[in-house]
Amino acid sequence: LLALHTAPYKPLDVLLSYSHLTLQNSAFAAYAPRLRERARVGQLLTASPLNMGLLTPTPPQWHPAPPELKDLVKKAAEAVDGWDGGLVNIAVGYGYRTAAELGVPMVAGLSYPREVHESIRAWRDTKESQEKKEKRIAQEEKAIGIFDGYQGWSWASPPDNLL
């Protein structure tokens, strides 16, 4: 909205939001309609359904999440352990499903052919029967519930030490 009301008074062409449409932080879903309607952003995109690796079995050491949140990721992984592909598959599928519901593309960073195949499997799973969709959503809700105290938590970007 700020861009629209600041010279040269034109809406943004594209806005990419990363790590804000995940099992742990779904703030983008709340803001997407406002960004479209009030700020008139031409194209919205969401990225990083794994929250910059946080929702993987081995989150990167540099990730800014506090230790308590990293512990909750382990609990969420244990809670959905019976799902083929585990928390990663649930998280990527959640990203695909919710991005599609919002009508926005989702960008996932993939490093290895195995990750490409897993991402495609997660996407296909979102297109399955109603029964499988309901089971997937139940797993998503189980993981989301574990992040209760940290649901919507994010970090400063850029961090204060770089300002």
Side-chain angles (χ1 to χ4, degrees):
L1 198 55
L2 182 62
L4 187 60
H5 297 289
T6 306
Y9 307 104
K10 294 181 182 179
L12 297 175
D13 293 325
V14 177
L15 187 139
L16 170 67
S17 176
Y18 68 96
S19 295
H20 288 94
L21 193 61
T22 72
L23 294 170
Q24 180 268 317
N25 185 340
S26 59
F28 181 77
Y31 286 98
R34 293 182 193 124
L35 291 167
R36 273 196 187 106
E37 296 156 17
R38 292 184 59 208
R40 298 194 326 239
V41 176
Q43 177 65 61
L44 298 173
L45 295 106
T46 183
S48 195
L50 295 173
N51 199 341
M52 295 187 345
L54 177 65
L55 301 177
T56 66
T58 53
Q61 294 237 339
W62 50 260
H63 198 284
E68 299 84 11
L69 179 52
K70 290 179 181 179
D71 289 343
L72 291 177
V73 170
K74 291 176 188 170
K75 288 181 181 177
E78 291 169 7
V80 300
D81 189 37
W83 189 266
D84 193 19
L87 183 62
V88 169
N89 185 291
I90 292 294
V92 172
Y94 174 85
Y96 282 127
R97 184 179 63 75
T98 54
E101 289 171 0
L102 292 169
V104 300
M106 185 195 76
V107 179
L110 308 169
S111 301
Y112 303 101
R114 173 184 47 79
E115 292 174 351
V116 174
H117 293 289
E118 287 299 314
S119 181
I120 291 170
R121 182 171 66 164
W123 175 78
R124 284 184 178 148
D125 283 351
T126 67
K127 309 292 181 197
E128 292 289 335
S129 69
Q130 187 63 31
E131 179 184 345
K132 187 158 186 172
K133 283 181 190 176
E134 289 171 6
K135 286 180 181 178
R136 168 179 282 284
I137 290 170
Q139 295 296 308
E140 292 171 2
E141 289 173 353
K142 194 184 303 183
I144 289 167
I146 290 169
F147 296 120
D148 187 40
Y150 281 92
Q151 187 62 35
W153 179 87
S154 194
W155 56 91
S157 181
D160 293 337
N161 65 340
L162 294 179
L163 294 177

